[in-house]
Amino acid sequence: MDELTKLSLNDVQITSDFWKRYRDLIANDSVPFQWDMINDKGKMDVTNADAAGGAADHSGAIENLKIAAGRAKGHHFGYPFQDTDVYKWLETVAYVLKYHFDQKMKDEADWTVDLIADAQDDDGYLSTYFQIDAPQRKFKRLQQSHELYSMGHYIEAGVAYYESTGNKKALDIAEKMAACINNHFGPEDGKIHGYDGHPEIELALSKLYEATKNKTYLNLAKYFITERGRDLKFFDRQNEADGIDNDFFPELRTIGDRYYFADKPITEQKDAHGHAVRVLYFCTGLAHVARVEHDDKLLKAANTIWNDIVKKQMYITGNVGQTATGEAFTYDYDLPNDTDYGETCASVSMAFFTKQMMANKFDGKFGDIIEKEIFNGALSGIALDGKHYFYANPLEADPTASELNPGKKHIALRRSSWFACACCPANITRLIASLDQYLYEVHDEVILSHQFVANDAKFNDDIEIKQTGNFPWDGNINYTITNPHDSKFTFGIRIPSWSLDKYSVKVNGQEVDTKLEDDILYIPVDAKELEINLVLNMNTHLVRANTRVSADVMKVAVQRGPIVYCAEGVDNKQPLSSYFLGQKPSFKYEYQPQLLSGVGTLSTDDAYYLEEDSTDDLYTFDTPKGAQKSRLTLIPYYAWANRDEKQMTVWLHQNEF
């Protein structure tokens, strides 16, 4: 290799049995199913109309674009951001076509790109609600309109589809959108000095810059990032000028700037607060711009928010956004399990944010969180059939509570096929379809493998890395590095936090020094071939929360490898709250290929079950409760709610004294 700084990743093919099942599911089932949904061809199976996401009898998303394009007549249907359901479907297709080419799927996507081009105004503007029903209100009520949010989602899709298929029209639409936005927003006189109520455009423009190297897009992304929170009267002035009661979402006018993560400039923010997905989309763009611009102040701000979330506001599964009221972060250490919102989109966007943080700095903690999301929090959002989805992902659920307690009606016990607000289905599918982008990071002459997802990866200078293994069920990971031109580079492997106490590494059969830097093992490479064998600790761990988390005091969660486990009423007696573990429970692990599409289960006989009271009295005085030893069976959290509607819990009582 002439210049090590030109080391780059060219292609990744995922070979993992676990992930190939999911990625094939996305290609064969999810994408065609979602195509039918957005075209109003399929029947919507809604499990609970009161649950998060809401119910609808059709989508109208494609029809809205047809009306805007002049191919049909009628009024706009759905939310102002209904267009984004189409865009995220298109982005999913872009990623799927790279590993599972299907001509029919590509034809449908090409047709969709043509439709979007026809719907786009000559000046680049595209938001069908305003084009069809409110053209006079374009960019007039940004607190609630989602216009930049919607166009941002198309820009992401357009870039992905262009990079996957070479469809230049898809990129041209994105660039026309960006030009339109640049003509209307910025610090210059005569432009709007403001931003969208729902961040998204920041990360989208950053991706467009990477694809085109047009600095205009990067500058505009940075403007939106640094402008946010500077003028606390911006939304109020727009609302008054547009008609104070002329709301799209009346409750969002008075909810306050904290909800929009716009109560102060980002460099002054100290914690994550407000609508979770807004915060995380914003921070994804923040971290991206900080890296490209080498802006230490913005990078420090990104680290501040990331650390607050991970250390003080994240569930053990990776779910974030604790409350259904506003789909929002609340405050540090407030992590209730039975009312947890944990929106699927929030887990997905946490993976987006963390990927950008890893690109800024190689650190094992970032890989840990990506792993936590993809194997737990985000993955829970999709059913094993690929056609049903969760909006909210609690850590404790009870069908009776969801039915009769208004404070828990947002919790569904079975996934729905679609929603009135259908942001989550295509968000989780685009993450899984793009998983190959989450396995490696390359800086100068260093290649970092931070996820244990079996794959074949090709880099420039004919370097090839093959990772094999049966992760997440097995901790034996093998790397074969082929380096035909004797290039000199460094190969890094993340050692996950759950295995830092015990692991071993051999290079060409020889034990090596396992001194870590930020939980990463670095191995120099200069030979034509290298064999690396990593053995991770797959013992079952009991996890305890910080004592400030009142919901989890005297409770433990169970984790094996990256997988967080839960108990379901399908496998155990109910109520699950009557179980508690002994002081030092031992667990038996068993892989069951016929259960839940193949899962590793845990069981223990070191559990106790409280005996049912012999009286109906609500309270008794000085009467100890009896308990009997009982078996407890656990399944991976991501696989819950794929059978009967029964209770579920992640956190279990433990007798520690």
Side-chain angles (χ1 to χ4, degrees):
M1 186 181 300
D2 295 331
E3 295 184 36
L4 291 176
T5 54
K6 292 185 179 179
L7 189 63
S8 61
L9 176 61
N10 295 335
D11 181 64
V12 179
Q13 295 297 320
I14 289 177
T15 58
S16 157
D17 288 342
F18 182 91
W19 286 110
K20 269 184 62 62
R21 192 197 83 82
Y22 270 104
R23 283 158 63 84
D24 289 346
L25 189 72
I26 301 304
N28 294 323
D29 295 278
S30 302
V31 165
F33 174 78
Q34 292 180 9
W35 174 249
D36 286 346
M37 291 295 102
I38 60 178
N39 278 279
D40 302 318
K41 294 179 180 178
K43 184 179 182 299
M44 295 188 176
D45 174 23
V46 179
T47 62
N48 179 359
D50 294 320
D57 58 2
H58 70 290
S59 163
I62 289 288
E63 186 68 13
N64 290 336
L65 286 164
K66 288 181 178 178
I67 296 169
R71 299 188 189 182
K73 294 183 178 181
H75 287 283
H76 182 275
F77 177 82
Y79 291 105
F81 49 83
Q82 206 82 349
D83 302 350
T84 62
D85 297 344
V86 177
Y87 303 156
K88 282 184 281 189
W89 174 85
L90 179 63
E91 187 180 350
T92 300
V93 170
Y95 303 134
V96 167
L97 289 174
K98 293 173 67 175
Y99 70 84
H100 188 108
F101 185 81
D102 181 275
Q103 188 61 52
K104 180 175 181 292
M105 185 187 299
K106 184 177 183 298
D107 289 345
E108 290 169 345
D110 287 342
W111 178 89
T112 303
V113 170
D114 290 342
L115 174 63
I116 294 168
D118 288 350
Q120 187 175 33
D121 286 348
D122 291 342
D123 68 351
Y125 182 92
L126 178 52
S127 182
T128 60
Y129 171 81
F130 294 92
Q131 292 168 290
I132 297 168
D133 287 340
Q136 74 283 2
R137 298 182 69 188
K138 292 178 181 177
F139 298 139
K140 296 291 179 63
R141 206 180 192 87
L142 288 158
Q143 182 194 54
Q144 303 171 29
S145 70
H146 292 77
E147 289 160 277
L148 301 185
Y149 167 84
S150 295
M151 285 193 271
H153 269 304
Y154 175 78
I155 290 171
E156 282 196 90
V159 168
Y161 198 67
Y162 166 72
E163 291 179 339
S164 173
T165 68
N167 186 313
K168 187 65 165 57
K169 182 182 286 188
L171 184 64
D172 289 344
I173 296 167
E175 292 207 77
K176 282 181 67 177
M177 279 185 183
C180 171
I181 296 167
N182 190 58
N183 287 336
H184 284 87
F185 293 84
E188 298 87 359
D189 290 343
K191 291 186 177 182
I192 300 170
H193 302 161
Y195 38 83
D196 199 285
H198 197 313
E200 210 287 341
I201 191 63
E202 300 84 355
L203 74 90
L205 288 169
S206 300
K207 286 189 174 183
L208 187 59
Y209 163 73
E210 296 280 18
T212 64
K213 299 306 177 186
N214 185 332
K215 196 72 180 290
T216 300
Y217 309 141
L218 182 65
N219 292 340
L220 188 55
K222 189 170 185 178
Y223 170 77
F224 284 128
I225 287 167
T226 55
E227 181 67 16
R228 193 172 201 84
R230 292 194 181 279
D231 180 0
L232 299 185
K233 297 297 183 182
F234 169 66
F235 287 150
D236 291 341
R237 286 197 305 272
Q238 275 212 325
N239 291 345
E240 290 172 8
D242 187 50
I244 194 64
D245 295 321
N246 199 17
D247 294 301
F248 303 113
F249 306 97
E251 70 279 7
L252 295 187
R253 174 161 47 85
T254 58
I255 201 167
D257 287 323
R258 274 181 62 85
Y259 174 79
Y260 297 99
F261 203 54
D263 52 317
K264 60 183 70 172
I266 184 56
T267 52
E268 298 176 20
Q269 296 284 12
K270 301 300 181 187
D271 66 336
H273 51 264
H275 186 267
V277 178
R278 282 172 165 85
V279 173
L280 294 168
Y281 278 169
F282 177 82
C283 286
T284 301
L286 167 69
H288 196 151
V289 169
R291 171 169 55 86
V292 176
E293 287 281 270
H294 306 288
D295 190 314
D296 291 339
K297 288 183 179 179
L298 293 184
L299 182 56
K300 181 180 178 182
N303 273 293
T304 295
I305 303 305
W306 191 90
N307 282 315
D308 175 70
I309 294 170
V310 170
K311 294 181 178 181
K312 299 177 181 180
Q313 295 201 71
M314 176 177 282
Y315 287 90
I316 187 174
T317 54
N319 298 128
V320 289
Q322 302 98 309
T323 179
T325 303
E327 306 176 317
F329 289 105
T330 55
Y331 58 92
D332 293 349
Y333 303 111
D334 177 43
L335 294 166
N337 297 305
D338 59 345
T339 58
D340 168 30
Y341 200 71
E343 185 182 344
T344 297
C345 283
S347 290
V348 170
S349 52
M350 189 67 198
F352 295 165
F353 179 20
T354 305
K355 183 182 188 300
Q356 289 300 326
M357 297 300 290
M358 179 68 91
N360 273 294
K361 182 182 186 298
F362 288 179
D363 195 317
K365 66 183 182 182
F366 299 130
D368 285 345
I369 297 304
I370 292 174
E371 178 183 81
K372 186 181 289 289
E373 297 296 0
I374 64 175
F375 283 105
N376 301 285
L379 195 57
S380 171
I382 185 169
L384 296 174
D385 69 357
K387 300 177 182 178
H388 292 81
Y389 310 91
F390 268 150
Y391 203 104
N393 296 270
L395 273 70
E396 181 180 326
D398 183 333
T400 302
S402 291
E403 180 183 0
L404 300 177
N405 185 339
K408 298 180 182 179
K409 282 190 177 293
H410 62 285
I411 303 298
L413 275 292
R414 187 161 56 88
R415 295 167 181 83
S416 293
S417 66
W418 211 247
F419 306 92
C421 176
C423 53
C424 294
N427 229 354
I428 181 59
T429 58
R430 69 173 175 151
L431 175 65
I432 295 172
S434 64
L435 189 63
D436 54 292
Q437 300 179 21
Y438 287 77
L439 310 186
Y440 294 94
E441 290 292 340
V442 180
H443 278 186
D444 298 328
E445 74 282 3
V446 180
I447 297 173
L448 172 63
S449 168
H450 60 84
Q451 298 302 317
F452 304 113
V453 175
N455 68 88
D456 293 346
K458 295 181 180 179
F459 301 78
N460 60 329
D461 215 34
D462 297 322
I463 296 169
E464 186 170 354
I465 298 175
K466 290 180 179 288
Q467 182 192 143
T468 57
N470 190 29
F471 197 78
W473 313 122
D474 189 291
N476 294 292
I477 312 297
N478 175 267
Y479 293 94
T480 301
I481 300 177
T482 304
N483 180 27
H485 305 304
D486 299 314
S487 302
K488 292 184 179 181
F489 63 95
T490 300
F491 183 60
I493 305 173
R494 173 183 65 94
I495 306 300
S497 58
W498 46 264
S499 189
L500 286 172
D501 63 329
K502 184 182 178 183
Y503 64 95
S504 65
V505 182
K506 290 183 179 180
V507 176
N508 291 335
Q510 300 296 313
E511 294 274 359
V512 298
D513 180 11
T514 56
K515 183 179 179 181
L516 305 181
E517 180 180 336
D518 294 325
D519 296 340
I520 296 171
L521 175 67
Y522 289 102
I523 299 169
V525 180
D526 58 9
K528 286 189 182 331
E529 289 189 0
L530 206 65
E531 190 90 10
I532 302 172
N533 297 102
L534 169 66
V535 180
L536 298 172
N537 178 15
M538 298 299 286
N539 290 337
T540 301
H541 294 285
L542 294 183
V543 185
R544 293 173 178 82
N546 188 296
T547 54
R548 296 178 181 87
V549 182
S550 61
D552 299 332
V553 171
M554 298 296 289
K555 292 183 178 181
V556 293
V558 180
Q559 181 172 335
R560 180 183 183 273
I563 302 293
V564 175
Y565 280 76
C566 69
E568 266 197 308
V570 179
D571 307 301
N572 305 284
K573 289 188 292 186
Q574 295 184 138
L576 297 176
S577 57
S578 289
Y579 281 99
F580 62 94
L581 296 173
Q583 291 184 358
K584 294 183 179 180
S586 62
F587 291 88
K588 177 186 176 183
Y589 171 78
E590 181 183 3
Y591 182 75
Q592 299 190 45
Q594 303 306 316
L595 179 65
L596 296 167
S597 299
V599 294
T601 63
L602 293 172
S603 60
T604 180
D605 291 320
D606 297 323
Y608 297 83
Y609 195 80
L610 292 175
E611 297 173 353
E612 186 175 346
D613 281 329
S614 58
T615 173
D616 289 336
D617 293 344
L618 187 57
Y619 304 104
T620 56
F621 293 94
D622 305 318
T623 305
K625 304 291 185 183
Q628 292 184 341
K629 220 169 185 189
S630 180
R631 169 168 288 226
L632 181 66
T633 299
L634 306 175
I635 64 166
Y637 171 76
Y638 74 79
W640 84 279
N642 279 281
R643 297 174 290 176
D644 292 341
E645 294 186 38
K646 300 284 188 178
Q647 292 180 357
M648 181 278 294
T649 187
V650 169
W651 290 93
L652 299 161
H653 299 289
Q654 185 187 27
N655 180 13
E656 295 196 63
F657 299 104

